[in-house]
Amino acid sequence: MIVVERIDPNGGSAHRISIRGHEIVADMSAPDGHDAGPDPHDLYDSALGACKAMTMLWYAQRNGIPVENIHVGVVRDASQERAGVYKLTTRIAVTGPMSDEQHEKLIAVAAKCPVHKLMSEVETQIETVAVPRVNDPEGR
């Protein structure tokens, strides 16, 4: 389970995200927040870049492709988000003494990473449930 909780309830908008013993701080960008960490859109976008990089490395390791470095840049175009279009462009640089065929295969594999598929091919259903308030005598 992932837990998100406000760090300072007396001010600021930063939240701590706890995932299996790991912690990340997320915040809103200025002027709404203090930019103490990436905002939720940054985290969403970075999941795609990380998944592409890790999928390429996983494939390279299992297929003997000599990869030295992987760099994935993610650029967001949210200008049409309210109209239902959220565009992410990934730019991938892979180095190592590999053949052109191996390089092309790694780029193709990146387009098949699980998060890419999740973002583009799967319907996500989200349920929001309120839990009882703490110390609420009426049990609301």
Side-chain angles (χ1 to χ4, degrees), residues 4-71:
V4 180
E5 57 189 338
R6 190 167 181 195
I7 294 172
D8 180 5
N10 298 318
S13 56
H15 285 68
R16 176 180 30 259
I17 303 169
S18 301
I19 307 167
R20 293 186 330 274
H22 305 282
E23 290 187 353
I24 304 168
V25 172
D27 197 2
M28 291 186 278
S29 304
D32 298 317
H34 295 104
D35 203 19
D39 71 27
H41 280 81
D42 295 331
L43 295 170
Y44 181 83
D45 301 352
S46 65
L48 178 65
C51 187
K52 286 181 178 292
M54 290 179 204
T55 298
M56 287 186 293
L57 181 61
W58 174 86
Y59 185 87
Q61 289 173 335
R62 277 153 187 76
N63 290 280
I65 299 174
V67 170
E68 292 172 353
N69 201 359
I70 298 171
H71 178 93

